[in-house]
Amino acid sequence: MKKLLLSLAATTALVSPALAELELEKDELTFGFIKLTDMAPLAVAYEQGYFLDEGLFVTLEAQANWKVLLDGVIDGQLDGAHMLAGQPLAATIGYGTEAHIITPFSMDLNGNGITVSNEIWEEMKPNIPVMEDGRPQHPISAEALAPVVEKYKSEGKPFNMGMVFPVSTHNYELRYWLAAGGLHPGFYSPENVTGQIGADVFLSVTPPPQMPATLEAGTIYGYCVGEPWNQQAVFKGIGVPVITDYELWKNNPEKVFGINAEFAEKYPNTTLAVTKALIRAAMWLDENDNANRPEAVEILSRPEYVGADYDVIANSMTGTFEYEKGDKRDVPDFNVFFRYNATYPFYSDAVWYLTQMRRWGQIADAKPDSWYDEVAKSVYKPEIYLEAARLLVDEGLANEADFPWDSDGYKAPTPAEDIIDGIAYDGRAPNAYLESLSIGLKGDQKIVGSDVQG
C-alpha cells in the first residue's frame, strides 16, 4: 500500500500552479488496482507527482481480485480503480453486480498473452510452421492446439484453461483465439454462468498473480493474462506464451479507469483533475520512444505495485517479448499507454466488449445496433476526457495535436489483416459483425438448456 502523508503535502510548495485551475470538491482519494503492469498510469501519476500537481492526495491500494475491486468502487471504499474494460459495461447493464460505472480514461492498448504449459507446447509444436532459423512462426493459430484438445477429449480428459474474470478482456481474447482456430470455448446462459455449455476447452477464473502456480500445479493447461504473468512462466521455465494480444488484434483496447457515475456527478472537478493526472502519466510512459520505460519498470517492480522482478517486467515493458527462453523478439507496441489515442475512451471499444458478451451468451437476447451505441455512451465518457485534455493543452502540459478533438467516439473499422481470424471489426455495425463470426450467437439465437435455438 502506498500512502501520501498529508502533513508533507500541506505546504503550497508541493503544489503546482495547475491547482488554481479547478476547485476540487474532494481532494483525498483512494484508488484500487490489480498487480499487473498495465496499472502503470496510476503508479506513475503518483510517483511523478501528477496527482499532487492537481491538488490530489491519493492512496493506491492493491486488491485481492477483480470482484473485490469492483465491489470497492460500488460501495465507495474505493473512489476509482484500474478496471477490466468489461466491468463497467457489465455492471451498467446488470450482468453480475448492478451499478452504473463510467470511464473517462482508457489505460492502455495490448499487454496480454496466451501461455500454455511446456507439455502442451511440445504437443503443439509439430503443428506449427517454422522460420528459416528453426524458430516457430508467429502468430500461432489455435489450429495448432486443436489436435491436442481432440486427443485429450478422446482420453476422457477435460482441457482446462484459465482467464482472470468472466467479463475480462482475457476471457474474450482467449475465446476469440480458440474460436478462430475452430475450438469452441463454450456458452453462458442465464441459468448456467460457467461459460462451459458445449465447450471443447473449459475456461475458469484464476486471479492474475496465481496463474503461473496454477499452471505449474497442472490444474490448467494454459491461460490468458496480462503481464508480467506470461513472462513469469518463461522465467520459471514452466510455460510458453504462444501469442500476444497485439498479434491477436493489433492495438486492441485493454484496461480502463472506472469510477461510480455518482462520483463523477458529485465531484466533476475532482474527476477532471484525476483524468488530467492520468493523461500526463500515460504521456510520460510513451514519450521519446519509451525512454522512460526502465524507470517505470523500477517503479512497478516495487512490492507495493506489481512486485515482480525487474527483469521479468522489463521483458515486455521495454519493447520486447520472450516466447521461449532465448526467443526474445521485438514487439515495440506490446504495451501502449498514449500512442494511437490509447487513452481516449472510444465507444467502438465498448461496443466490441458488448459484442463478445452477446456472442457467448452473457447477453442472453438479441439487441439492436442502437442498444450497443446507447450502452457505450452511458459508460464511456470522451467528453470528460477531452475537457481534461483541453485544460492540459491550455496549461502548456500537452500538445493540441495529440488528441482526437473531432472524433464522434468511433474508430475507423479495424481492417481484417489486423485481426487473427481475418474478420474486420466496425463498431458502428455490431450485429453485422456478430453475423460474420463463424462460432457464437447471432441474430435471435439464444441458449436454452444446452442447445442453441433460433
Side-chain angles (χ1 to χ4, degrees):
M1 183 187 297
K2 289 290 286 187
K3 289 191 182 292
L4 275 176
L5 300 176
L6 300 184
S7 58
L8 291 179
T11 107
T12 54
L14 286 178
V15 183
S16 85
L19 258 182
E21 298 292 326
L22 295 167
E23 288 191 20
L24 302 179
E25 304 90 358
K26 184 177 184 180
D27 61 4
E28 295 180 31
L29 304 169
T30 301
F31 298 145
F33 68 93
I34 297 292
K35 293 194 167 199
L36 293 159
T37 56
D38 56 22
M39 64 77 60
L42 282 169
V44 168
Y46 180 97
E47 296 292 342
Q48 295 298 116
Y50 300 145
F51 285 134
L52 265 182
D53 285 350
E54 298 298 331
L56 299 169
F57 307 109
V58 170
T59 298
L60 299 178
E61 292 185 355
Q63 304 296 299
N65 57 53
W66 291 113
K67 185 178 187 311
V68 168
L69 178 144
L70 177 63
D71 290 345
V73 173
I74 291 171
D75 65 23
Q77 290 184 49
L78 298 173
D79 295 299
H82 160 235
M83 278 190 181
L84 299 161
Q87 285 186 295
L89 293 161
T92 297
I93 66 173
Y95 183 77
T97 308
E98 187 167 3
H100 190 189
I101 307 295
I102 66 165
T103 178
F105 178 87
S106 289
M107 293 191 70
D108 62 317
L109 304 177
N110 311 317
N112 299 330
I114 297 172
T115 292
V116 298
S117 69
N118 291 338
E119 179 186 359
I120 299 301
W121 175 242
E122 289 303 318
E123 294 187 64
M124 287 177 67
K125 276 171 78 173
N127 311 320
I128 299 169
V130 295
M131 301 186 296
E132 286 184 9
D133 61 6
R135 292 183 301 162
Q137 185 173 302
H138 284 265
I140 292 172
S141 166
E143 290 176 357
L145 180 64
V148 184
V149 172
E150 190 58 40
K151 173 175 169 284
Y152 277 63
K153 191 184 290 187
S154 69
E155 295 170 356
K157 294 191 290 190
F159 198 92
N160 299 316
M161 297 187 79
M163 47 79 184
V164 307
F165 200 68
V167 295
S168 66
T169 322
H170 317 79
N171 184 22
Y172 304 133
E173 286 176 347
L174 183 50
R175 287 169 173 274
Y176 205 101
W177 181 69
L178 291 167
L183 290 167
H184 204 301
F187 288 119
Y188 295 83
S189 75
E191 298 75 33
N192 183 343
V193 295
T194 64
Q196 298 180 354
I197 299 168
D200 296 320
V201 177
F202 299 91
L203 309 187
S204 58
V205 170
T206 301
Q210 296 172 28
M211 287 290 193
T214 309
L215 183 74
E216 191 170 20
T219 309
I220 54 177
Y221 298 126
Y223 56 71
C224 183
V225 74
E227 281 308 302
W229 308 115
N230 296 288
Q231 295 298 272
Q232 184 80 304
V234 177
F235 272 71
K236 288 170 68 75
I238 60 170
V240 176
V242 290
I243 191 168
T244 67
D245 59 344
Y246 179 81
E247 297 165 310
L248 191 68
W249 174 12
K250 183 179 176 181
N251 293 329
N252 64 92
E254 237 304 288
K255 304 292 191 309
V256 298
F257 180 74
I259 55 177
N260 205 308
E262 291 178 9
F263 180 97
E265 290 164 13
K266 191 173 180 181
Y267 310 122
N269 285 350
T270 298
T271 299
L272 282 173
V274 170
T275 306
K276 286 174 66 184
L278 291 174
I279 292 172
R280 290 184 69 193
M283 291 166 56
W284 182 88
L285 280 159
D286 278 11
E287 71 187 12
N288 298 326
D289 293 327
N290 296 351
N292 296 322
R293 293 295 181 88
E295 185 179 347
V297 171
E298 189 281 319
I299 292 169
L300 293 172
S301 67
R302 297 174 195 169
E304 63 265 35
Y305 294 126
V306 179
D309 290 346
Y310 179 98
D311 289 344
V312 175
I313 297 173
N315 233 24
S316 60
M317 269 284 280
T318 52
T320 62
F321 193 84
E322 192 165 10
Y323 293 90
E324 293 180 87
K325 279 191 174 174
D327 184 5
K328 186 181 282 194
R329 308 191 190 191
D330 289 334
V331 188
D333 285 337
F334 180 81
N335 280 119
V336 172
F337 293 99
F338 189 69
R339 295 189 293 279
Y340 319 129
N341 296 314
T343 51
Y344 183 96
F346 283 100
Y347 301 139
S348 43
D349 293 347
V351 170
W352 185 82
Y353 285 100
L354 293 167
T355 64
Q356 300 312 294
M357 294 173 74
R358 171 62 187 142
R359 182 183 186 184
W360 304 118
Q362 291 173 330
I363 296 171
D365 300 303
K367 305 290 185 184
D369 285 355
S370 59
W371 179 87
Y372 289 88
D373 179 70
E374 288 162 12
V375 173
K377 288 176 177 173
S378 74
V379 176
Y380 279 46
K381 298 297 179 182
E383 63 273 21
I384 297 175
Y385 175 88
L386 289 178
E387 189 174 350
R390 173 54 61 198
L391 291 170
L392 289 173
V393 170
D394 290 348
E395 292 161 18
L397 296 172
N399 296 320
E400 176 101 16
D402 286 343
F403 301 96
W405 307 104
D406 298 330
S407 174
D408 65 355
Y410 283 87
K411 291 178 182 173
T414 305
E417 59 268 24
D418 285 354
I419 303 178
I420 189 75
D421 57 5
I423 295 173
Y425 166 65
D426 183 356
R428 293 178 178 84
N431 280 296
Y433 173 63
L434 284 165
E435 290 286 347
S436 71
L437 300 166
S438 60
I439 297 178
L441 297 180
K442 46 185 67 69
D444 292 326
Q445 290 180 336
K446 60 171 58 181
I447 302 298
V448 179
S450 58
D451 299 321
V452 176
Q453 293 189 3

